[in-house]
Amino acid sequence: MSNNLNKKVLLLNQSYQPLMTVEAKRAIILSFTDKVEVLERYSEQVHSVSLSIYVPSVLRLKEYVRFNKKRIPLSRKNILQRDNYICQYCKAKDKLMTIDHIIPKHKGGVDSWENLVAACIPCNTTKGNKLLKDINMQLIKKPKIPSVLFNIQNELSISQSSWKPYLFMKEKN
Ligand SMILES: [Zn+2]
């Protein structure tokens, strides 16, 4: 039972926009209020002395709530996750990824989502402290600030196919 209470539950806004994940325990408490609608359930149940209930897996708020966009912290780990551990110059997927400043720090480049990318060691070494235009290197895509979905999609690796329709993700075959 305790494991089931730790399951992650996807919480959607009234507009079906994914907001966050909450723990099953909180989701169950919410599901007893009239604030949410249970859209999907896990096949597992939790039991108390007097009742057994299926653990919700997707909840939707009945009233639209305006949330401040949650900022995802700028960190090495989050940059690598955003870039899927793929070198943004040569597409290599290497465990030894580094972080490259597209515009080098000493040329005024800042620590930002738009200026930091995952790079393999050879690409990072080649690029060094130069500007891309000077050495004919190109990014495979323009780096962006990740959306709130990013966090939730990351959690999917440990979670649920029942969420995917709500996260605009396709079922893996
Ligand atoms: Zn590379």
Side-chain angles (χ1 to χ4, degrees):
M1 160 171 172
S2 56
N3 279 347
N4 290 337
L5 282 177
N6 291 333
K7 278 186 174 296
K8 293 279 191 180
V9 180
L10 180 63
L11 179 65
L12 306 177
N13 213 334
Q14 189 259 343
S15 59
Y16 287 90
Q17 179 93 32
L19 290 174
M20 63 176 85
T21 60
V22 295
E23 289 200 342
K25 193 174 165 187
R26 191 171 157 213
I28 290 166
I29 294 166
L30 276 171
S31 71
F32 280 105
T33 69
D34 57 3
K35 291 193 173 73
V36 300
E37 169 191 8
V38 178
L39 297 181
E40 309 278 345
R41 290 180 172 81
Y42 289 107
S43 51
E44 292 89 346
Q45 291 185 319
V46 290
H47 311 277
S48 74
V49 180
S50 55
L51 90 172
S52 301
I53 46 169
Y54 285 102
V55 179
S57 76
V58 182
L59 295 179
R60 174 183 168 226
L61 292 174
K62 286 188 180 166
E63 269 180 49
Y64 186 79
V65 176
R66 213 168 270 282
F67 272 84
N68 286 332
K69 272 202 176 157
K70 209 165 60 171
R71 284 246 180 139
I72 296 157
L74 183 69
S75 67
R76 182 190 151 78
K77 186 173 157 252
N78 285 340
I79 298 267
L80 292 177
Q81 278 188 354
R82 177 198 63 186
D83 294 342
N84 208 15
Y85 294 83
I86 291 170
C87 173
Q88 297 299 294
Y89 296 112
C90 74
K91 296 187 185 173
K93 196 163 174 147
D94 195 310
K95 277 189 181 143
L96 291 171
M97 276 297 155
T98 63
I99 303 289
D100 180 56
H101 283 81
I102 301 168
I103 300 170
K105 271 191 157 173
H106 79 280
K107 290 195 165 127
V110 290
D111 291 340
S112 69
W113 288 106
E114 293 88 350
N115 195 45
L116 295 169
V117 286
C120 68
I121 293 173
C123 285
N124 205 338
T125 309
T126 309
K127 182 163 169 295
N129 282 328
K130 299 174 214 88
L131 292 170
L132 291 180
K133 63 179 171 66
D134 295 337
I135 49 166
N136 216 8
M137 275 177 87
Q138 278 184 346
L139 287 162
I140 58 173
K141 63 176 188 302
K142 200 172 183 287
K144 287 193 259 178
I145 301 175
S147 72
V148 107
L149 282 181
F150 165 84
N151 270 348
I152 301 174
Q153 283 169 348
N154 277 336
E155 292 188 49
L156 262 184
S157 53
I158 47 160
S159 300
Q160 313 4 342
S161 57
S162 65
W163 294 4
K164 290 187 180 171
Y166 301 95
L167 297 177
F168 317 106
M169 291 176 77
K170 285 202 181 114
E171 194 83 42
K172 271 190 194 137
N173 291 319

